[in-house]
Amino acid sequence: MILHQLIDYDTLRIIWWALIGVLLVGFAVTDGFDLGSGILLPFAARTDLERRVVINSVGPVWEGNQVWLILGGGAIFAAWPQLYAVSFSGFYLAMFVILTALILRPVAFKFRSKREEPQWRARWDWVLFFSGFVPALICGVAVGNVLQGVPFRFATDMHIHYDGSFFALLNPFALLCGLVSVAMMVAHGAAWLQLKTAGPVAERARLYGSVAAVAGIVLYALAGVWMASAIGGYRITSAAQMTGPSNPLLKTVELHAGAWLANYAAHPWTMAAPAAGFAGLLGALAGLLLRRPVLALLAAALGIAGIILSVGASMFPFILPSSIDPRASLTVWDASSSHLTLFIMLVVTAIFIPIIVAYTTWVYHVLWGKVDEEAIREESGHAY
């Protein structure tokens, strides 16, 4: 027997659908608190020393957190090539904006302290705010557009045509999803700052984070009601070819009101995802109000995971529906790489993901503890 046939093709597709979710959650949870800290920087920290404390709380770890973004992009490219082709071409300008913000962040970290002029440093502080706010907002906007369907189609030769525009992405429902993303990142960043800082910075972060947690709960609930009442979902009306070739045009799909909620009725255990979203944000709010930073940080991470996974649970088996040609919608069953490719990737992932998790855990263990203002003063030549 050929080794890769030990796992069925349809099973591998499900595994890689789940792994993409894990990688997206990994990026949002690990990078979420430093994006949130960047958003909070001009507000939670008011003096130059306080802002240096905030920056140094995330400075040693933010680069490592980017590993999950790289892994996610690489996995989509290799495991779901059609998804990569459609999303990275259709959302090109949006992704360019995100990458611009992420590129400016290390520049701001390095350049901010090169000069002591207050105006110079203030400008770079707002760059750090921009580099936190924009990725959080645009990622949420992208999710909102995916839930509504993306305007793409396939020609008879399988050439992809995207008929949308950047500004069309900024529709009301997508912007609402973007605000949900910003709120959960700010709550996560506030929990991190409460854990890593002390004094006025921690107290201000606690206040802003509590407001963000409440806003996240309300906005997430509003998005759910909006999706249930006004956003039509997609449903496969032909027999699903779970082990067939990756050709999206071999099925028939129709737009159906309430289809995105059908999975919750068919598989009640999937309700755990949105429940975790609400419970996590509530736990983050409780942890912030009670000054329990570890509880707040872990709960905020749970909330982020639950919100992201609730999108995947509601859409399954769709991963990118088409609003102009539903038949072209990409699903778990018709957008993946070959059986052999998925198996080889799974073996590699099984080896390297535990190494990455172990190394990341060790780094956070070494860097555990609060960032002290006095230490920043004494190490002015080494700290950010």
Side-chain angles (χ1 to χ4, degrees):
M1 178 183 291
I2 300 175
L3 188 60
H4 71 274
Q5 293 180 345
L6 293 173
I7 305 178
D8 294 336
Y9 196 10
D10 57 331
T11 302
L12 278 171
R13 283 168 160 166
I14 291 290
I15 290 172
W16 271 104
W17 171 79
L19 283 175
I20 291 298
V22 170
L23 293 175
L24 291 176
V25 169
F27 167 66
V29 168
T30 58
D31 212 34
F33 67 77
D34 56 59
L35 293 178
S37 298
I39 297 172
L40 287 169
L41 177 64
F43 311 105
R46 296 177 182 173
T47 67
D48 179 66
L49 184 59
E50 288 178 350
R51 292 182 177 182
R52 290 186 66 198
V53 167
V54 172
I55 292 170
N56 278 274
S57 72
V58 298
V61 297
W62 75 267
E63 287 180 290
N65 296 338
Q66 299 295 301
V67 169
W68 294 98
L69 176 62
I70 297 169
L71 287 174
I76 291 174
F77 171 77
W80 308 98
Q82 291 176 323
L83 172 62
Y84 181 91
V86 174
S87 59
F88 277 65
S89 59
F91 296 158
Y92 180 80
L93 288 178
M95 291 186 177
F96 183 82
V97 172
I98 292 174
L99 289 175
T100 299
L102 294 178
I103 290 169
L104 285 173
R105 179 162 56 166
V107 176
F109 278 139
K110 299 298 183 182
F111 277 34
R112 183 189 185 277
S113 296
K114 296 297 184 183
R115 295 167 63 180
E116 296 185 0
E117 288 88 344
Q119 291 183 343
W120 169 270
R121 294 189 172 186
R123 283 194 291 267
W124 287 114
D125 290 339
W126 284 106
V127 170
L128 286 170
F129 167 83
F130 172 84
S131 67
F133 178 80
V134 168
L137 178 70
I138 298 298
C139 286
V141 166
V143 171
N145 279 280
V146 169
L147 285 167
Q148 295 175 92
V150 177
F152 73 93
R153 55 190 170 82
F154 288 98
T156 54
D157 61 354
M158 296 304 292
H159 184 74
I160 298 168
H161 296 272
Y162 180 82
D163 296 335
S165 66
F166 173 76
F167 291 104
L169 298 175
L170 304 177
N171 57 78
F173 179 75
L175 288 172
L176 174 61
C177 293
L179 292 177
V180 173
S181 176
V182 170
M184 68 185 190
M185 297 301 181
V186 170
H188 199 33
W192 174 260
L193 291 180
Q194 192 178 49
L195 176 69
K196 295 292 290 185
T197 67
V201 174
E203 285 302 305
R204 294 187 201 111
R206 186 175 73 89
L207 172 62
Y208 288 118
S210 300
V211 173
V214 172
I217 294 168
V218 173
L219 293 172
Y220 183 46
L222 178 59
V225 172
W226 192 335
M227 187 176 73
S229 60
I231 305 297
Y234 293 76
R235 183 172 63 185
I236 298 175
T237 56
S238 60
Q241 300 294 326
M242 298 182 182
T243 59
S246 290
N247 184 347
L249 301 181
L250 297 180
K251 65 181 182 301
T252 57
V253 177
E254 67 177 16
L255 186 64
H256 188 270
W260 284 159
L261 302 181
N263 280 341
Y264 295 123
H267 308 286
W269 63 269
T270 58
M271 287 293 295
F278 284 114
L281 290 176
L282 284 170
L285 176 62
L288 289 166
L289 293 177
L290 297 173
R291 295 179 174 83
R292 300 286 297 274
V294 175
L295 169 63
L297 189 68
L298 294 177
L302 175 65
I304 291 172
I307 290 172
I308 293 174
L309 295 177
S310 68
V311 175
S314 63
M315 289 180 59
F316 183 85
F318 290 90
I319 51 179
L320 190 64
S322 170
S323 59
I324 59 175
D325 183 9
R327 185 180 61 144
S329 299
L330 304 181
T331 73
V332 172
W333 315 123
D334 57 28
S336 72
S337 292
S338 68
H339 192 173
L340 178 60
T341 300
L342 295 182
F343 179 79
I344 293 173
M345 289 177 60
L346 183 62
V347 173
V348 174
T349 300
I351 295 171
F352 285 101
I353 288 295
I355 295 174
I356 293 171
V357 171
Y359 174 75
T360 302
T361 303
W362 177 78
V363 168
Y364 279 96
H365 173 73
V366 171
L367 297 173
W368 189 259
K370 292 185 179 294
V371 178
D372 183 72
E373 290 188 8
E374 189 60 34
I376 297 295
R377 289 194 190 95
E378 293 175 357
E379 299 182 15
S380 58
H382 302 284
Y384 287 106

